[in-house]
Amino acid sequence: MLFNSFEFLIFLPIVFLLYWFVFKGIKVQNIFIVAVSYIFYGWWDCRFLILIFITTLLSYLSGILIEKYRGKARWICGANIAINIGILCYYKYVNFFADNLEALINQFGYQLDWVTLDVILPVGISFYTFQALSYTIDVYRRDIKATSDFIAFTSFISFFPQLVAGPIERSTNLLPQFLKPRRFDYTNAVIGMRQILWGFFKKIIIADNCAQLANSIFDNYQDCNASLLLLGAIFFTFQIYGDFSGYSDIAIGTARLFGVNLMKNFNLPYFSRDIAEFWRRWHISLNKWFIDYVYIPLGGSRGSKAMVIRNILIVFSLSGLWHGANWTFVIWGLYNGVIIALLTLLNLNQKRSAIISEKSFFPPIKEIGQILITFILVVIGWIFFRAEDITQAVDYIARLCDSSIVSVPNFRDLGLGFIKLTYTLFFIVLLQLIDWIQRKQDFGLEISNVKYRPIRWSIYIIFLLIFSIFAGGQEAFIYFQF
């Protein structure tokens, strides 16, 4: 079920009302959460429910066994990790590895005559698998005690707001919330509704409009001059931000309606002053997952510079592969990893993550320059992420280096309407302006400090009017494929 679908607009208020006014008490509410979460997830394909149940059951049992048999905890933890990673790799990467093996064999003059595998990728499998693995590892590390409450644990794995595209929650944060009573908080619910509205603005107005323009340009990039190619890359840059951070806002806001607090997943990434800071602000839950469960176990920042750089490159290679079964994702991960490795090598990785320009409205000229350079590097990286293959990505970037980059974009040749192009650019600027003004708040539409109700309601009405006039086509969320 898509957040931006008519079904969800019917589903959410019904679930909300039943949750608070019919199914009262922690046990009953948890059972209800599991039921509606499985309905939500099974809406795509009910066969996927078998996989999420297997992951849930194995992780639940492994936690109990790890605590009961501490002497064999490493083997139990390792077995659960191997099985879940094995399931993930089969459904996500078997076609990728089969195709690459066939291409490699063909290079030696041999032909493989086999039936091409057609494995369907279950929606959100990377997200709930990583969330389940974090629980097993946390129990093994004694960061959390294994729970015997199977329903609460199932709620933790399958909680529908963040089930298919995160945030990837930690057991130490989310699981305890399903083990204690939850009470309705009107103020928190109102904040949640505002965050949902802000998430829909990012998705429906920013991402979906940018998607139509970016797709047209990338699909016909050989017929575009450099200035239009630059616009295409910028449109995709804001498409993926609006799409993924919009999903996170809707998920976090929806969770608030049910008395559950999810972690912040985006924190003004396009105002970062270097690539390392960008990754502390972009998809925060995944970044922290790889730091805690891969980077630190490898040695982290301890040891020689060579070891640290090795660890960085391993993490970003895996992060790229996590995003999809295509070499473009691996190259994209390595691209970011190499830049961060260089910053580390030159002692320029300054661990920035605080509020940008906290004491003044305008940042210093130096920081403006750093933000612009970082943004350009991010845009180049997104070209690899968006391209169908490496050849297209390299060709696209090469065509950007043409002198026509300072000419007028030939958008009419692709049938791109000037009006749509104009208002999409306007909303991109508006998004960034609101993000900047509200940078000290949790999200752009957090207006609790606006005292007068008529002003708040006027803002809501304006957003609803924008939706009714400028909504793009109904596009699936990009990160569903991961």
Side-chain angles (χ1 to χ4, degrees), residues 98 101-115:
L101 177 60
E102 182 178 10
L104 179 62
I105 296 298
N106 290 346
Q107 292 296 317
F108 292 95
Y110 297 97
Q111 295 292 326
L112 288 180
D113 186 17
W114 58 14
V115 178

Side-chain angles (χ1 to χ4, degrees), residues 197-198 200-201 204-205 426-427 430 434 445 447 450 453-471:
L197 186 62
W198 180 240
F200 275 124
F201 173 76
I204 296 173
I205 302 301
F426 168 77
F427 284 122
L430 180 63
I434 294 174
L445 202 57
I447 52 174
V450 176
R453 181 175 293 181
I455 295 177
R456 295 198 300 269
W457 277 97
S458 297
I459 293 172
Y460 305 149
I461 292 170
I462 289 171
F463 271 86
L464 292 176
L465 288 174
I466 290 173
F467 292 155
S468 64
I469 299 172
F470 298 104

Side-chain angles (χ1 to χ4, degrees), residues 67 135 138-139 142-147 175:
E67 284 212 337
Y135 168 78
D138 287 345
V139 173
R142 303 178 190 268
D143 291 335
I144 190 173
K145 285 187 173 293
T147 180
L175 180 56

Side-chain angles (χ1 to χ4, degrees), residues 77-372:
C77 181
N80 184 61
I81 292 173
I83 293 171
N84 279 296
I85 291 294
I87 293 172
L88 175 63
C89 287
Y90 174 76
Y91 282 96
K92 191 165 184 175
Y93 303 109
V94 66
N95 291 331
F96 172 70
F97 289 124
D99 292 343
N100 279 275
L101 177 60
E102 182 178 10
L104 179 62
I105 296 298
N106 290 346
Q107 292 296 317
F108 292 95
Y110 297 97
Q111 295 292 326
L112 288 180
D113 186 17
W114 58 14
V115 178
T116 302
L117 296 171
D118 187 19
V119 179
I120 300 174
L121 178 64
V123 175
I125 188 171
S126 297
F127 288 90
Y128 70 71
T129 298
F130 269 34
Q131 187 156 310
L133 291 179
S134 73
Y135 168 78
T136 303
I137 298 171
D138 287 345
V139 173
Y140 172 74
R141 293 176 172 178
R142 303 178 190 268
D143 291 335
I144 190 173
K145 285 187 173 293
T147 180
S148 59
D149 189 332
F150 182 67
I151 298 299
F153 181 78
T154 306
S155 301
F156 157 68
I157 297 294
S158 63
F159 187 44
F160 76 89
Q162 47 89 228
L163 173 57
V164 294
I168 303 172
E169 278 292 343
R170 298 299 181 80
S171 58
T172 50
N173 175 50
L174 185 55
L175 180 56
Q177 296 185 62
F178 291 112
L179 295 172
K180 61 184 181 182
R182 298 173 290 279
R183 291 182 174 84
F184 179 71
D185 185 326
Y186 175 79
T187 301
N188 198 38
V190 170
I191 293 173
M193 290 297 294
R194 290 187 192 127
Q195 193 159 6
I196 291 171
L197 186 62
W198 180 240
F200 275 124
F201 173 76
K202 286 182 177 179
K203 171 58 180 170
I204 296 173
I205 302 301
I206 302 297
D208 289 353
N209 281 308
C210 284
Q212 295 173 5
L213 296 167
N215 290 343
S216 182
I217 294 170
F218 271 86
D219 292 344
N220 302 279
Y221 77 97
Q222 293 175 323
D223 301 322
C224 301
N225 61 359
S227 57
L228 187 58
L229 293 178
L230 178 60
L231 276 178
I234 291 173
F235 282 134
F236 180 72
T237 296
F238 284 97
Q239 176 196 349
I240 195 166
Y241 173 60
D243 192 282
F244 193 20
S245 70
Y247 181 96
S248 293
D249 281 324
I250 298 169
I252 295 168
T254 301
R256 286 179 184 271
L257 297 180
F258 297 92
V260 175
N261 295 312
L262 302 179
M263 69 179 295
K264 190 172 185 176
N265 210 22
F266 287 84
N267 185 19
L268 309 178
Y270 291 158
F271 294 120
S272 301
R273 289 152 289 189
D274 57 56
I275 292 293
E277 183 183 7
F278 171 80
W279 277 102
R280 286 189 286 273
R281 296 179 179 276
W282 177 276
H283 202 174
I284 298 169
S285 61
L286 179 68
N287 185 41
K288 288 186 175 180
W289 197 98
F290 273 109
I291 288 174
D292 288 348
Y293 301 121
V294 179
Y295 182 70
I296 292 176
L298 284 173
S301 300
R302 303 185 302 274
S304 65
K305 280 286 180 67
M307 290 182 64
V308 173
I309 291 171
R310 178 206 66 181
N311 297 342
I312 290 171
L313 295 179
I314 289 174
V315 164
F316 277 92
S317 298
L318 292 175
S319 177
L321 190 60
W322 178 91
H323 280 82
N326 193 319
W327 286 111
T328 55
F329 296 119
V330 178
I331 297 300
W332 168 75
L334 278 172
Y335 167 83
N336 285 277
V338 167
I339 296 175
I340 293 177
L342 288 173
L343 291 174
T344 302
L345 191 64
L346 298 172
N347 295 317
L348 296 175
N349 187 349
Q350 300 181 30
K351 306 292 185 184
R352 298 180 176 124
S353 61
I355 295 172
I356 304 165
S357 189
E358 184 175 8
K359 297 181 179 180
S360 62
F361 185 80
F362 295 104
I365 297 298
K366 178 182 178 181
E367 290 197 348
I368 292 175
Q370 292 170 335
I371 290 169
L372 289 174

Side-chain angles (χ1 to χ4, degrees), residues 8-19:
F8 184 73
L9 292 180
I10 301 298
F11 173 84
L12 181 59
I14 292 174
V15 171
F16 174 80
L17 292 172
L18 291 174
Y19 178 82

